[in-house]
Amino acid sequence: MPRTTRNPSPERLFEIASVQAGYFTAAQARSAGYTRQNLAYHVAAGRFERVARGLYRLRQYPSFPYEDVAAAWLKAGPHRAVVSHETALVLHDLSAVRPDKIDLTVERPHRPAGNRPRLPGVRIHTTVQPLDAQDVVRIAGVRVTSAVRTILDAADAGTDLDQIVAAVREGIKRGLFTPSEMEEAARTRRARVRRLISVALQEAGYGSAVH
């Protein structure tokens, strides 16, 4: 259980929220010493904004254009969930097509699949192995799969080839990864994904050695 301080600590709450795009959960606020009454008071005073049930934002913190994504990520658990797949393509600005659901990846729990988090409008993907540090970046404080991991996951999940080609081309153009880095990462995936990445690199104007 998180330790609750005797008095509210604005510094501790800001420390929490500043690495989460300015957002914080009611549980995180309690860990910083804020009671339900404290939260209601600060919402009424205009210091906090109530975004959804159990989710708040520091009103003066720079806004995040994907509030629904941040909310879903926090509800799924900011330490165990990461924005991924087509939603991560959008956050990386590698796609202009927003998916119909928010994609989150969580480590496969050691419990029945039926006990996974159930969040409206969210598509949960699971992974057996914990994500390596190189596979996760932060965008405006939100944990997101890296550009390379995002493209590979999207390709694996059936994203249209045109979107994959555009993402590969844009990622290389912006220096997010090199063709060789994408090729190397693709070698760890199944044959279908390797072929898709090979075609994507060729369509984007780069040769591919992926087989």
Side-chain angles (χ1 to χ4, degrees), residues 68-89:
D68 57 337
V69 176
W73 167 65
L74 283 171
K75 288 177 181 178
H79 300 297
R80 65 185 294 262
V82 58
V83 180
S84 62
H85 295 74
E86 291 186 2
T87 306
L89 284 178

Side-chain angles (χ1 to χ4, degrees), residues 30-51:
R30 286 196 298 273
S31 75
Y34 287 81
T35 64
R36 183 180 301 177
Q37 291 74 20
N38 292 147
L39 286 172
Y41 171 79
H42 287 293
V43 168
R47 298 186 184 92
F48 300 163
E49 177 184 359
R50 188 177 186 272
V51 177

